Amino acid sequence: MSESVVEIGSVQLKIGDVEKFWVDHESGKDRASRLYYQENNYLGSVFELLVAGVVNYFLARKNRNSSAKKYLHIKAGKNEYCFSEDEVNINEVLGKLKK
């Protein structure tokens, strides 16, 4: 296997094709659902948007279980992948991607 290829399960990604990657506590399905329902739900002034964003941030942190699973999201070209910490060693993959 070449240094420029990361193999995650049956997926092989060229490091040069990876546009961005991030780790969070939200699965791809949950994120898509949140973004779908979040769009166009706030109509109002800039101040109302700011308050709604701050409240949403603190409620999300409060409701997040400290033992929640971590998910690694990788965007490569038109494809977006999501791996849970059960499927892959996230720290190892991040080390390879950051090289």
Side-chain angles (χ1 to χ4, degrees):
M1 182 168 70
S2 173
E3 287 288 329
S4 64
V5 175
V6 175
E7 188 172 334
I8 306 170
S10 62
V11 177
Q12 290 187 351
L13 297 171
K14 292 182 182 177
I15 293 178
D17 293 344
V18 174
E19 295 173 15
K20 65 180 182 177
F21 53 91
W22 67 97
V23 176
D24 64 13
H25 296 279
E26 185 176 43
S27 69
K29 181 180 174 186
D30 292 341
R31 181 174 183 267
S33 175
R34 179 181 54 82
L35 292 177
Y36 174 77
Y37 289 111
Q38 183 176 336
E39 289 181 5
N40 300 322
N41 286 339
Y42 300 114
L43 299 174
S45 69
V46 173
F47 179 71
E48 290 171 341
L49 290 173
L50 177 65
V51 170
V54 169
V55 169
N56 184 32
Y57 173 76
F58 284 111
L59 287 177
R61 285 191 60 118
K62 179 184 172 191
N63 292 335
R64 183 186 314 156
N65 186 354
S66 62
S67 64
K69 267 190 213 179
K70 287 184 182 179
Y71 292 91
L72 172 64
H73 301 269
I74 299 174
K75 183 173 183 185
K78 294 181 180 180
N79 299 323
E80 194 168 316
Y81 304 95
C82 178
F83 303 99
S84 73
E85 63 185 346
D86 295 337
E87 300 170 328
V88 65
N89 184 346
I90 292 177
N91 293 330
E92 181 181 319
V93 174
L94 287 176
K96 290 179 182 179
L97 290 173
K98 290 180 181 179
K99 284 185 181 179

